[in-house]
Amino acid sequence: MDGPERRVQLAEVHTSPAWIGHKISRLQDETGVRVAFLTRLGEAVIPSSQTVLQEGDLVHVMMRTDEIAKVEEAFAEGPEEAGH
């Protein structure tokens, strides 16, 4: 069970400004990744599910290597609107 589908990586993922003001829990639910930590104002912050993304936050996530493109796209698009 050591194939490429089982590998994970830690990566900084650029987020759309549309994610600002949303909780980490929503980001994780919609993208399927685990937020490992944020860089906020130059300091590493381990977020809780209730942490809200702020302007300037750098998001560092753990994700499967075979899902990088999908995750980057979801972060770039922003949250799904209610009712979709």
Side-chain angles (χ1 to χ4, degrees):
M1 290 194 157
D2 196 25
E5 68 280 358
R6 295 284 184 201
R7 294 189 183 143
V8 295
Q9 76 174 46
L10 174 65
E12 178 184 318
V13 181
H14 297 282
T15 57
S16 164
W19 283 108
I20 294 171
H22 291 278
K23 292 180 182 178
I24 291 293
S25 57
R26 183 167 184 188
L27 181 69
Q28 293 180 139
D29 289 346
E30 290 192 20
T31 62
V33 301
R34 171 76 59 197
V35 175
F37 67 97
L38 304 173
T39 301
R40 179 174 284 171
L41 302 174
E43 298 288 328
V45 176
I46 297 176
S48 75
S49 61
Q50 300 303 306
T51 300
V52 174
L53 285 173
Q54 297 179 8
E55 186 174 350
D57 283 353
L58 301 177
V59 181
H60 305 270
V61 302
M62 293 298 299
M63 65 181 143
R64 290 180 13 190
T65 55
D66 61 343
E67 294 186 333
I68 294 170
K70 181 181 89 170
V71 169
E72 288 178 340
E73 182 178 332
F75 274 61
E77 289 179 354
E80 293 181 17
E81 294 300 319
H84 281 95

